[in-house]
Amino acid sequence: ALLGPQDAVDAMVAEFRARRDFLVPALNGIPGISCVEPLGAFYAFPNIGSLPLSADEFADRLLGEAGVALLSGSAFGSHAAGHVRISYAASLESLERAVERIAGFVASL
């Protein structure tokens, strides 16, 4: 695996980079959400601390009301309060729909 062709790896890295490069600015465009660019893996960890919900409430309501699944930062310890974790392993089309739904949900708060 290490010495063979790396074309598939290079293609997947490029795909994850494109998804990240869409998701982070899109999240930053939603009032009340701020997200730094992740340096590894395929997760964004936006800060939602200025919204009127805890991360747990945000994750629960977003799933129930907008059909978007993400994980509360509380799963990663007290230092992650006010954050949520979003995977960008999904397709770009799914991420675009998710961002639209997140933006609509936040606007309704």
Side-chain angles (χ1 to χ4, degrees):
L2 295 175
L3 301 175
Q6 298 298 303
D7 297 346
V9 174
D10 293 341
M12 208 59 235
V13 168
E15 182 61 32
F16 283 126
R17 183 176 296 117
R19 294 172 190 177
R20 180 203 62 203
D21 291 350
F22 162 76
L23 184 61
V24 171
L27 291 171
N28 282 324
I30 300 172
I33 296 179
S34 63
C35 187
V36 298
E37 185 174 296
L39 299 177
F42 42 80
Y43 299 102
F45 206 62
N47 184 324
I48 62 158
S50 64
L51 297 177
L53 299 173
S54 71
D56 289 338
E57 292 170 312
F58 184 86
D60 288 344
R61 287 188 55 193
L62 189 63
L63 179 59
E65 296 174 31
V68 177
L70 47 73
L71 191 58
S72 170
S74 66
F76 302 96
S78 60
H79 63 283
H83 291 76
V84 293
R85 186 176 84 161
I86 302 172
S87 170
Y88 50 90
S91 70
L92 185 56
E93 294 80 17
S94 292
L95 294 172
E96 290 168 343
R97 281 193 309 272
V99 167
E100 288 175 11
R101 292 177 182 185
I102 293 168
F105 174 75
V106 169
S108 74
L109 295 177

